[in-house]
């Protein structure tokens, strides 16, 4: 069973920027209620897209460097990368259909 990849300031570059697959990154924090609401959806997507895309989570409190680099002001923020480039972004808790749609859009982009 696949779970989201847990990111940190230290492994973000390798796991996201250098990834050969499209990547969805959930910026979250333990105290954030909307983050907890979408957490099960992020888990489901990690299983559903195993092998096709990389689904990741990063705790903004523990990893302020990456959050700062991408200008994360409110959470949850979900960023979509393809070939190391930021291609899309959603801020706030949204239905799974929106996350899937944005991820599929990122997956469809070519370098």
């Amino acid at each position: 069973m696949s779970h989201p990849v847990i990111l940190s300031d230290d492994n973000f570059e390798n796991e996201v920027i250098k990834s050969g697959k499209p990547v969805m990154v959930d910026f979250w924090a333990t105290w954030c209620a909307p983050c907890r609401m979408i957490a099960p959806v992020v888990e489901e997507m990690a299983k559903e897209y195993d092998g096709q895309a990389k689904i990741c989570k990063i705790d903004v409190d523990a990893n302020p460097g990456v959050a700062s680099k991408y200008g994360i002001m409110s959470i949850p923020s979900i960023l979509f990368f393809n070939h190391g480039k930021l291609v899309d972004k959603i801020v706030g808790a949204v239905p799974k259909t929106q996350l899937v749609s944005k991820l599929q859009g990122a997956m469809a982009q070519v370098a």
Side-chain angles (χ1 to χ4, degrees):
M1 292 262 257
S2 194
H3 292 286
V5 175
I6 304 304
L7 298 176
S8 67
D9 284 348
D10 295 334
N11 73 359
F12 190 87
E13 176 87 11
N14 266 351
E15 292 288 348
V16 178
I17 305 305
K18 294 180 178 171
S19 175
K21 295 181 184 137
V23 184
M24 179 178 107
V25 181
D26 173 18
F27 286 80
W28 71 285
T30 52
W31 49 264
C32 166
C35 298
R36 288 195 301 272
M37 284 170 37
I38 68 162
V41 170
V42 173
E43 288 280 342
E44 280 174 29
M45 290 178 70
K47 292 178 185 86
E48 290 166 13
Y49 287 92
D50 187 29
Q52 302 169 64
K54 193 183 284 189
I55 309 298
C56 306
K57 294 176 70 90
I58 186 163
D59 182 331
V60 296
D61 290 338
N63 302 282
V66 171
S68 172
K69 179 178 178 182
Y70 289 98
I72 304 300
M73 295 299 196
S74 46
I75 52 174
S77 284
I78 295 96
L79 276 54
F80 299 86
F81 293 83
N82 196 346
H83 301 285
K85 294 186 184 71
L86 177 63
V87 295
D88 215 337
K89 178 178 185 174
I90 293 178
V91 178
V94 298
K96 181 179 178 182
T97 51
Q98 270 186 273
L99 293 176
V100 166
S101 172
K102 296 274 190 185
L103 180 59
Q104 287 178 340
M107 289 167 72
Q109 294 195 14
V110 290

